[in-house]
Amino acid sequence: MPGLRLRRERTGAASQRARADVAASTAEAIAGIELPSDARAAAFFDLDNTVLRGASLFYLARGMYQRGLLRTSDILRFGRQQLQFALGAEDPDHIVEARAAALSFIAGRSVEELSRVGEEIFEELMADKIWPGTQAIAQLHIDQGQRVWLVTAAPVEVATIIARRLGLTGALGTVAEHVDGEYTGRLVGDLLHGEDKAAAVRSLAAREGLDLHRCSAYSDSANDIPMLSLVGFPCAVNPDRKLRRHARKRGWRIRDYRARRRNTTLGIAAGTGAVAGAAVGIVAARKRR
């Protein structure tokens, strides 16, 4: 049948273009990077928009909503909190409120349940959202015998799942309080964000016997300038405008993979602010059904 044959040809062509994009991203990612085998060197990767296209918390909330583990009101409240955090970044009151509520949507859930669901959600929603270029760089560090960590404001349970699936050493993330195996909705400490993320990397380096001047770090956000400034080999990946300016001024490496996938990334959360829009979209789709 001509129509079926045409669809197959188009599907085959799309698959070939996708493989070509992955190959090109991989080649571009590792071009000009020479890593020595160094036991005192390591690499630290931000997660959202650096390793993963979009926001991991959005994918987690979406997957939980699809399973009936979140109500419409839960996901709208979550989206509103994240939007408030993004837009009110300079307002101390907004920061305190948003940080305190950042993981409230898992309150009452068991640790075992989040781990199990997190594994499923990674397969369903995140596995094909990993940036091939960033993954290639991480693998280059691993191939040279260096340790590689994810360092993210996302829940540490989710970050650990992603790190394990990508074959990384481990993950540092935001810790949600749990009592008797159930999450309380409160944080232990603060979000792993900005200066707190840099402090966590510094502490890890001291514990692991790493020389930060021989280490590398990768991020998309100006919020991670403190972490990037700690290491001898910082790199801006898919940088926001402020980080791009800072990286150029400092002579840092820049890698940007967004141009090739611009059409496929429309609608994906591009930071915490986009989570609110995604929540509204989910509710709108439910009303249409």
Side-chain angles (χ1 to χ4, degrees):
M1 297 173 60
L4 179 59
R5 184 168 59 251
L6 180 59
R7 285 195 296 272
R8 287 176 176 173
E9 289 175 353
R10 288 176 176 173
T11 300
S15 297
Q16 289 178 352
R17 287 195 297 271
R19 287 194 295 270
D21 281 347
V22 171
S25 294
T26 300
E28 177 190 353
I30 63 176
I33 301 179
E34 296 182 3
L35 297 175
S37 180
D38 188 345
R40 297 195 63 197
F44 307 100
F45 286 80
D46 172 54
L47 177 58
D48 295 349
N49 298 314
T50 303
V51 172
L52 180 73
R53 295 200 306 274
S56 52
L57 270 180
F58 161 66
Y59 294 122
L60 179 63
R62 177 182 167 186
M64 292 178 69
Y65 180 82
Q66 291 172 339
R67 287 164 171 76
L69 300 177
L70 288 182
R71 298 168 297 182
T72 301
S73 57
D74 294 327
I75 200 166
L76 281 174
R77 185 179 70 252
F78 169 67
R80 184 173 62 250
Q81 291 161 354
Q82 297 309 299
L83 179 62
Q84 184 182 54
F85 178 69
L87 297 181
E90 301 302 324
D91 186 328
D93 293 334
H94 285 176
I95 291 175
V96 171
E97 181 180 349
R99 286 178 175 177
L103 298 181
S104 62
F105 71 98
I106 63 172
R109 303 292 174 189
S110 73
V111 176
E112 185 278 331
E113 179 184 38
L114 184 64
S115 296
R116 174 178 52 79
V117 170
E119 294 277 0
E120 296 172 359
I121 291 173
F122 176 82
E123 289 294 339
E124 296 169 8
L125 301 176
M126 300 185 198
D128 63 347
K129 304 298 190 304
I130 301 297
W131 287 109
T134 311
Q135 187 175 7
I137 294 176
Q139 187 61 50
L140 187 61
H141 283 278
I142 294 170
D143 291 343
Q144 289 302 105
Q146 296 187 15
R147 286 161 284 180
V148 178
W149 279 274
L150 289 181
V151 188
T152 174
V156 67
E157 293 86 352
V158 175
T160 299
I161 289 170
I162 297 173
R164 185 174 66 252
R165 292 301 187 94
L166 298 181
L168 310 183
T169 307
L172 302 176
T174 297
V175 179
E177 181 186 69
H178 53 85
V179 176
D180 296 329
E182 289 191 355
Y183 291 105
T184 66
R186 296 185 294 270
L187 301 182
V188 176
D190 211 338
L191 283 178
L192 205 61
H193 175 81
E195 293 289 351
D196 290 319
K197 186 180 285 192
V201 168
R202 192 180 295 111
S203 177
L204 176 65
R207 187 168 67 249
E208 296 288 327
L210 302 172
D211 182 348
L212 286 172
H213 295 293
R214 292 146 71 171
C215 291
S216 304
Y218 303 83
S219 178
D220 71 297
S221 173
N223 292 325
D224 285 337
I225 287 176
M227 178 180 75
L228 294 167
S229 300
L230 280 180
V231 301
F233 303 98
C235 181
V237 178
N238 305 325
D240 59 29
R241 292 180 181 178
K242 185 175 179 181
L243 178 57
R244 186 181 293 273
R245 288 196 301 269
H246 189 90
R248 285 175 173 170
K249 183 178 179 181
R250 299 286 179 140
W252 292 354
R253 286 179 293 137
I254 298 175
R255 294 287 191 274
D256 200 327
Y257 310 118
R258 291 169 295 190
R260 287 194 185 91
R261 301 304 298 270
R262 190 174 304 279
N263 292 333
T264 61
T265 56
L266 291 177
I268 291 178
T272 54
V275 176
V280 172
I282 291 172
V283 175
R286 182 185 180 192
K287 288 181 177 179
R288 285 197 298 272
R289 290 196 298 271

